[in-house]
Amino acid sequence: MDFQGIFDRLTAIRAPGLVRADEPRKPDPKDKKDKGRAGDPFVLVEPGQLASFVRACRDDDRLHFELLVDLTATDPSKDAADLWINVQLLSLKFRHRLAIKALLPKSAASLPSLVPVYRASQWHERECAEMFGITFVGHPDPRNILLPDDWVGYPLRKDYEFPKEYHGISCE
Amino acid sequence: MSNETSKTMPSTRLRQTSAGEVTVDIRTPDLEINFGPQHPATHGVMRVLMRTDGELVTGAQPHLGYLHRCAEKIGENVEWLQYLPYTDRYDYLASMNNNLGYSLAVEALLGIEIPRRATLIRIICAELNRIGSHLVAFGTYGLDIGAFTPFLYCFREREWMMALFEKICGARLTYSYIRIGGVFNDAPPGWFEEVARFCDVFDEKWKEYVDLLLVNQIYVKRTAKVGVISREMALDFGLTGTMLRGSGIDWDLRRDMPYMCYGEIWRDGAFKIPVARGEMGELGDCWDRSWVRVMEMIESIKIVRWCLDHMVDGPVIGELPKTLKVPAGEAYVGIENPRGELGHYVVSDGGKVSIRTRVRGPSFCNLAVLEDTLPGALVGDAVAIIGSTDIVVGETDR
């Protein structure tokens, strides 16, 4: 199924939390400031309902997304109010992919964990939590995964300040 | 038991019943063992905290991060072209494939055409590198479980493969050869002929690995019915690549979501996708996974041959500005790495530096399954199970 087909199906089954589709477009020739958007289409989803949304994607027999390939977050800029949660789903049966994005306010960066739906997201969520300071409510094992347990700050946030030293080791 | 105890013996483990019978309680407290970080079977620096009851593993908790080099953070601080050498460093056994994955992701945003000759050279390099990577995986797996000789046979062929790469790009491990827009330079004279010779020789040599190791009774006994990953578990944990095919799921990105000209090669019937059938034991055991790896090497040879036969003349890299500006947008591109799906998610705001360079390392995702496969196994089998997942710690930690 192509992206339009997937989106129509999601609308038809009233997938919880679906906001809209975002497709790449060419720059507007009349508007010089408009740069357009390149790359892949994705669907925008309410972060609070992301878990039930992916469950609907997995269980629907025409979408059949049995694999969660990737879950990550993005901090678009220092001044942005929202973080992005990016999820990649893959259907082996129908050979299609779906990119999902959820805008999560930095002031309340918390959303339900996806682990009950896909165990695959367990380690990805741990990585997101330590790198972006996102809380996944209901995560079975919320420890740091790549960073030491006593690490201060969230390294992949754009306002992160590099530490001057770590346990007496100078980093300058 | 307490009802029957008439008196306590000097040792707390010994009890005497009223009939004068002495019973011994041989239960021992669970022992926590650190497997690694400096253990040769972890293929790098990874620590698995294992809880054991005698010879039985009752719990396992992988601890990562000993090789974390902030690849994703670096991606936000260097220019698009400058990031390429860092991709070599995550899965250092398949650097060509990493270069390819990143280049394809950036090209998806740029929307540029790659010259046909460059595409074919890319496929040859990626497939040769897949062979090299599987040779290490297979050879060192034998080493892990006590078979030293096959490892030397595997490295003999891998040496030639690395010499081929040295001739085309000057490096033996970290190539940075596949660039955004094509490949770094054209192949030197005689290179394609040597690749063809390598294919001919390899076609004979792989039978040695099968005879020496794969169907060796000792090897089969160590790996068959060990570390079984069911289909449901494989899907739930998001396994990809050889791990998925080792569990009997017929899925390969090269055929099912073709990129470059893999679709054309598949339609020509040049290669097959080996899928495990559980021949020696149960479907999804360690033996199945190593069988898939050996069979994949042969298929890679066929792909290389197809590319050599269809090679065209022409440029190998498109015209690109020295400072690359990538159009605003985001793209995710997943390719079939030797270890599974290597995904690059790149976001650009139209500038010289990316906003986000996300690397979805297949080893990282495949490793998560250890938490479920290790409990219930014997301590001796733990090495066999970890080895069969074929992790490269450089990639799990990035």
Side-chain angles (χ1 to χ4, degrees):
Chain A
M1 220 188 287
D2 62 350
F3 179 76
Q4 194 56 46
I6 294 170
F7 183 70
D8 291 344
R9 179 70 187 163
L10 284 170
T11 321
I13 61 168
R14 296 213 181 97
L18 180 66
V19 180
R20 64 178 170 85
D22 191 315
E23 289 189 69
R25 57 192 166 76
K26 293 233 158 62
D28 188 358
K30 287 171 201 159
D31 185 3
K32 276 189 183 158
K33 278 184 185 165
D34 183 31
K35 293 187 218 161
R37 185 174 89 72
D40 301 336
F42 59 82
V43 293
L44 213 59
V45 175
E46 286 289 333
Q49 285 179 292
L50 187 62
S52 22
F53 181 83
V54 292
R55 189 186 291 277
C57 289
R58 185 193 65 180
D59 294 342
D60 184 63
D61 54 355
R62 299 226 342 242
L63 295 173
H64 215 274
F65 286 108
E66 51 285 68
L67 221 66
L68 179 132
V69 177
D70 193 15
L71 182 147
T72 184
T74 302
D75 186 3
S77 78
K78 224 178 217 177
D79 319 311
D82 295 323
L83 293 169
W84 305 345
I85 304 286
N86 307 94
V87 181
Q88 297 286 339
L89 298 183
L90 176 66
S91 165
L92 308 187
K93 193 175 173 192
F94 296 117
R95 300 178 182 182
H96 54 219
R97 280 186 195 278
L98 178 64
I100 302 169
K101 190 193 268 188
L103 301 181
L104 192 69
K106 279 183 185 170
S107 50
S110 128
L111 76 160
S113 168
L114 267 58
V115 177
V117 194
Y118 296 103
R119 295 272 306 270
S121 74
Q122 189 167 334
W123 283 19
H124 292 309
E125 284 177 12
R126 279 170 69 182
E127 201 185 333
C128 271
E130 67 183 0
M131 295 293 180
F132 292 93
I134 299 166
T135 314
F136 289 90
V137 180
H139 192 284
D141 187 17
R143 291 176 299 128
N144 278 4
I145 187 159
L146 295 178
L147 297 179
D149 292 334
D150 58 354
W151 197 259
V152 181
Y154 305 114
L156 283 179
R157 284 224 187 173
K158 289 283 190 289
D159 57 2
Y160 177 69
E161 280 180 22
F162 288 89
K164 297 231 167 18
E165 63 139 33
Y166 179 71
H167 286 283
I169 308 162
S170 170
C171 306
E172 284 177 305
Chain B
M1 199 160 89
S2 55
N3 294 350
E4 290 178 53
T5 310
S6 57
K7 69 176 184 194
T8 311
M9 302 284 285
S11 162
T12 49
R13 293 208 185 150
L14 297 179
R15 282 166 202 279
Q16 196 171 30
T17 59
S18 49
E21 202 175 286
V22 178
T23 59
V24 188
D25 182 8
I26 57 165
R27 273 179 304 172
T28 48
D30 278 7
L31 188 68
E32 289 209 325
I33 302 177
N34 269 313
F35 182 86
Q38 306 288 353
H39 192 286
T42 59
H43 299 263
V45 273
M46 182 192 70
R47 179 160 71 104
V48 184
L49 190 61
M50 287 203 286
R51 212 168 52 246
T52 59
D53 177 12
E55 279 293 300
L56 207 66
V57 180
T58 52
Q61 207 177 55
H63 286 251
L64 313 178
Y66 292 92
L67 217 56
H68 180 54
R69 290 148 302 167
C70 326
E72 293 180 8
K73 186 74 183 171
I74 292 170
E76 297 173 7
N77 288 299
V78 296
E79 290 175 15
W80 294 96
L81 287 166
Q82 286 176 332
Y83 184 66
L84 197 79
Y86 292 100
T87 65
D88 285 329
R89 268 92 183 157
Y90 22 89
D91 182 353
Y92 37 75
L93 294 179
S95 305
M96 284 286 184
N97 291 275
N98 300 344
N99 294 165
L100 179 63
Y102 179 68
S103 303
L104 286 176
V106 179
E107 283 157 12
L109 282 179
L110 286 167
I112 49 174
E113 275 292 306
I114 306 304
R116 172 86 175 167
R117 188 178 174 85
T119 306
L120 292 172
I121 295 180
R122 277 176 171 196
I123 295 183
I124 292 176
C125 289
E127 294 304 324
L128 284 179
N129 209 183
R130 187 184 314 276
I131 295 168
S133 168
H134 282 341
L135 282 174
V136 176
F138 185 64
T140 55
Y141 186 42
L143 208 57
D144 284 349
I145 57 178
F148 192 86
T149 318
F151 164 76
L152 300 171
Y153 279 68
C154 289
F155 267 54
R156 179 188 59 193
E157 268 74 67
R158 183 166 178 266
E159 187 58 36
W160 191 356
M161 179 221 91
M162 292 207 292
L164 281 171
F165 283 155
E166 201 176 352
K167 281 181 186 161
I168 202 169
C169 67
R172 285 166 59 83
L173 202 65
T174 49
Y175 312 109
S176 302
Y177 174 64
I178 296 175
R179 302 275 167 98
I180 299 165
V183 295
F184 166 58
N185 60 0
D186 207 342
W191 193 78
F192 293 120
E193 289 76 16
E194 197 182 340
V195 173
R197 265 205 313 285
F198 173 80
C199 293
D200 293 339
V201 172
F202 194 84
D203 255 353
E204 295 302 314
K205 297 287 184 193
W206 70 268
K207 292 167 191 151
E208 291 180 0
Y209 317 140
V210 174
D211 290 342
L212 262 177
L213 193 61
L214 197 65
V215 295
N216 184 325
Q217 269 307 305
I218 305 169
Y219 181 78
V220 173
K221 287 231 151 100
R222 281 300 306 272
T223 54
K225 293 186 186 170
V226 171
V228 177
I229 300 174
S230 67
R231 285 159 162 270
E232 293 72 31
M233 208 160 133
L235 291 174
D236 200 17
F237 274 97
L239 303 189
T240 44
T242 43
M243 298 280 283
L244 197 61
R245 291 191 285 280
S247 291
I249 296 170
D250 194 1
W251 176 261
D252 191 309
L253 286 171
R254 287 174 295 171
R255 176 196 64 193
D256 296 315
M257 291 186 144
Y259 48 96
M260 301 198 293
C261 55
Y262 278 115
E264 205 180 320
I265 305 174
W266 170 257
R267 280 192 297 279
D268 262 13
F271 71 106
K272 294 197 289 283
I273 308 292
V275 181
R277 298 183 298 266
E279 275 164 81
M280 289 293 174
E282 242 174 280
L283 183 64
D285 58 13
C286 294
W287 190 86
D288 275 348
R289 290 192 277 280
S290 48
W291 177 84
V292 168
R293 283 187 196 113
V294 173
M295 294 302 134
E296 260 185 36
M297 289 196 264
I298 306 158
E299 301 305 322
S300 290
I301 285 288
K302 293 182 191 161
I303 299 175
V304 171
R305 281 227 177 88
W306 188 94
C307 293
L308 290 174
D309 291 345
H310 292 75
M311 188 53 72
V312 292
D313 283 336
V316 291
I317 190 157
E319 287 290 316
L320 281 178
K322 209 166 186 185
T323 311
L324 197 62
K325 279 193 177 174
V326 174
E330 54 183 270
Y332 174 90
V333 174
I335 67 158
E336 189 74 30
N337 238 33
R339 282 165 191 79
E341 176 174 338
L342 173 78
H344 276 92
Y345 171 73
V346 288
V347 185
S348 170
D349 63 349
K352 288 187 280 189
V353 179
S354 95
I355 292 186
R356 178 90 170 100
T357 309
R358 158 72 176 167
V359 185
R360 186 255 185 217
S363 294
F364 180 79
C365 308
N366 292 351
L367 194 65
V369 83
L370 277 190
E371 283 178 0
D372 269 41
T373 44
L374 281 184
L378 296 173
V379 175
D381 289 340
V383 173
I385 295 171
I386 294 173
S388 79
T389 56
D390 184 21
I391 49 159
V392 167
V393 176
E395 188 177 66
T396 59
D397 295 358
R398 299 182 300 278

